[in-house]
């Protein structure tokens, strides 16, 4: 019998696949249930190295399907949830806010209600851990301030509004029903297996193919960047050691203007491809800024460090070089992603499950 039965939602996505891999390999006495709808951003090719492990189970389902969520809680005797499944791209949320409200708000509510009903007030050794974003806090000025766990919510996009709403539901289920919950808000992640609509893999691929590098406005927006494996280790630590009903901010103390980050990417990709230094600088193309584009995000992770001892393990330049190498060495993965072939393959593979 498994020591723990943990449901990880969105486990075929970017961050989720790293969390699934870590938990499967680190805890052979746990059953890790990877729940993913396999939308465009979910890719089981991210997990081929652990798919045959005896403590790993994949379930294809939609978190908005409440009856299915209840069924899975019963089937796998779920006692812990690590909830990562979400629509997360701001540009997509501007074009289609309904999808973001459905998945991020109603999907979270579906999972919370399933946990409430199936745990039936027996909350010993149970946990609903909800992963959120720093974008719920709004924007910072260039004044050295940082987002803390007590920063007032001020979402500016349909994406961040949907995540803010889901955060509130998680906390409300603790306050109303006593469900043990934890919420974490993380800064921008980067690393292997990220879907190439996001800045870093998109630009690596565009440099490789000599395509334009579209930069919003003047590229002066600032983000705090964290290597995805460091985030996965933080999630593992918080799941096991975090305090119930607490919020923890997870960040890299690693702020970069977009244009400066892009120049580091260009330099690194050109070097690894054997191009002359600066050969791809001419690909930078400035485009009209997007609506509601927040100026600056920056996370204060001192609470997590002081209480649980976590801090990032990689320096940014080291993490970026490792990331660029991974994408260049895994061009088949990238080509399948951008062609959509993996979607057809896994849809046919799991359509009868």
């Amino acid at each position: 019998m498994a020591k723990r039965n943990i449901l990880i939602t969105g486990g075929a996505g970017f961050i989720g696949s790293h969390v699934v891999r870590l938990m499967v390999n680190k805890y052979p006495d746990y059953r890790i249930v990877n729940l993913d709808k396999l939308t465009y951003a979910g890719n089981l090719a991210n997990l081929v190295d652990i798919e045959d492990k005896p403590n790993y189970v994949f379930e294809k389902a939609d978190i908005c399907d409440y009856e299915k969520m209840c069924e899975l809680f019963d089937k796998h005797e779920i006692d812990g949830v690590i909830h990562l499944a979400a629509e997360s791209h701001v540009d997509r949320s501007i074009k289609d806010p309904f999808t973001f409200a459905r998945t991020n708000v109603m999907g979270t509510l579906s999972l919370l209600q399933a946990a409430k009903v199936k745990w039936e007030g027996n909350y010993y050794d149970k946990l609903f851990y909800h992963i959120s974003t720093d974008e719920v806090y709004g924007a910072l000025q260039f004044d050295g301030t940082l987002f803390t766990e007590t920063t007032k919510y001020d979402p500016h996009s349909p994406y961040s509004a949907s995540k803010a709403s889901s955060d509130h539901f998680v906390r409300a289920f603790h306050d109303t029903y006593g469900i043990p919950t934890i919420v974490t808000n993380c800064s921008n992640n980067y690393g292997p297996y990220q879907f190439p609509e996001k800045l870093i893999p998109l630009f690596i691929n565009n440099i490789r193919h000599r395509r334009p590098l579209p930069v919003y406005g003047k590229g002066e927006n600032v983000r705090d960047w964290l290597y995805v494996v460091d985030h996965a280790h933080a999630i593992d630590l918080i799941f096991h050691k975090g305090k119930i009903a607490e919020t923890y901010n997870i960040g890299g103390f690693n702020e970069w203007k977009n244009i400066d980050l892009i120049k580091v990417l260009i330099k690194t990709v050109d070097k690894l491809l054997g191009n002359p230094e600066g050969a791809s600088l001419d690909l930078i193309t400035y485009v009209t800024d997007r609506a509601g584009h927040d100026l600056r995000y920056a996370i204060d992770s001192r609470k997590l460090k002081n209480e649980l001892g976590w801090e990032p393990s990689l320096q940014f330049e080291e993490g970026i070089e490792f990331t660029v190498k991974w994408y260049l060495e895994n061009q088949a993965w990238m080509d399948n992603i951008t062609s959509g072939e993996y979607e057809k393959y896994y849809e046919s593979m799991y359509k009868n499950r």
Side-chain angles (χ1 to χ4, degrees), residues 25-62:
N25 287 328
K26 186 174 180 179
Y27 302 104
D29 54 346
Y30 288 10
R31 178 191 291 126
I32 303 300
V33 182
N34 172 10
L35 168 65
D36 203 290
K37 188 180 177 182
L38 295 183
T39 61
Y40 76 95
N43 185 358
L44 288 176
N46 296 353
L47 292 165
V48 291
D49 55 317
I50 56 100
E51 63 185 3
D52 294 325
K53 297 272 188 174
N55 63 330
Y56 171 73
V57 179
F58 174 71
E59 294 280 1
K60 183 177 186 292
D62 184 346

Side-chain angles (χ1 to χ4, degrees), residues 116-128:
K116 179 179 80 73
V117 169
K118 294 304 175 181
W119 290 345
E120 298 179 320
N122 177 17
Y123 297 140
Y124 176 74
D125 251 3
K126 306 292 197 304
L127 179 62
F128 192 105

Side-chain angles (χ1 to χ4, degrees), residues 219-250:
E220 293 181 346
N221 301 73
V222 171
R223 298 294 181 261
D224 175 22
W225 292 90
L226 177 67
Y227 188 60
V228 66
V229 176
D230 283 333
H231 188 190
H233 282 286
I235 290 171
D236 172 33
L237 179 65
I238 293 165
F239 181 84
H240 288 94
K241 302 292 186 182
K243 295 179 182 177
I244 299 302
E246 287 288 344
T247 298
Y248 297 94
N249 280 351
I250 309 172

